[in-house]
Amino acid sequence: MRKESKILVVDDDPLVLESLYQVFCDDYEVVLASSGSQAIDILQASDDFDTIVLDIRMDKMDGLETATKIRGINTEIPIIFYTGYPGDYSETKIQREHQPFDYVVKNERPIRLQRAVKNAVDYHRLKRKRGDLRQLAREQFGMVGKSQAIMNVYRTIEKIAPTNIKVMILGPTGSGKELVARAIHKRSPRSQKRLGILNC
């Protein structure tokens, strides 16, 4: 079964790659790269990853140089630096120059990296979905807007439309209550049935 999210794990130690594959393979589609240059080749072929776990100390092209090249391909994918040598690198400098999603030390408990990856994947998928939701709202529902408030409305429509719960839509005249009702109906299992509009 195809996993919903895809992550790239980059490390020049085959034992680390194998262990991280085992940690994440149940939840994500995991692609492994044993060098920075291999990671770049993979991303140039397809950059549809939700997160990259990137070792810093690697031969030839280290993680910092790799991260710079990754940003040249795709600026949106969250990068989590994963290092066994935290004292060798300035976290402040890394944060300033590379703006990673997170920075995890290898001797921390695995749950720390698992949590970082989950947060990064959720963040990236939400960011991508914002654009999808805006397009869907504009094309199918005749709704426009990209403020945080209207994004919350779009997300609520997507969340409740497939359910059978009763919904009350409140708001002043002209705020788009009927548009929201039509959007919920269109995304619901009853979308092929008639929607009755009663003006009270």
Side-chain angles (χ1 to χ4, degrees), residues 128-147:
R128 280 196 315 194
K129 198 167 183 182
R130 283 172 69 99
D132 295 343
L133 283 173
R134 281 201 298 265
Q135 186 174 351
L136 183 71
R138 185 172 58 250
E139 291 176 356
Q140 292 195 21
F141 313 146
M143 300 169 72
V144 294
K146 54 185 180 180
S147 69

Side-chain angles (χ1 to χ4, degrees), residues 13 29 57 63 65 74 82 87 100 103 123 126 155 171 174 192:
D13 184 333
E29 181 182 343
R57 181 181 278 189
E65 185 182 350
N74 188 321
Y82 188 53
Y103 184 100
Y123 169 80
L126 182 61
R155 274 194 288 274
Q192 299 307 311

Side-chain angles (χ1 to χ4, degrees), residues 1-15:
M1 187 176 78
R2 191 179 185 281
K3 310 284 195 325
E4 282 190 11
S5 300
K6 185 175 170 185
I7 66 171
L8 175 62
V9 179
V10 188
D11 200 298
D12 61 356
D13 184 333
L15 294 177

Side-chain angles (χ1 to χ4, degrees), residues 97-112:
E97 294 181 1
H98 300 282
Q99 298 178 340
F101 186 86
D102 209 339
Y103 184 100
V104 181
V105 178
K106 286 184 178 179
N107 64 6
E108 292 186 71
R109 294 170 59 205
I111 191 70
R112 170 75 174 85

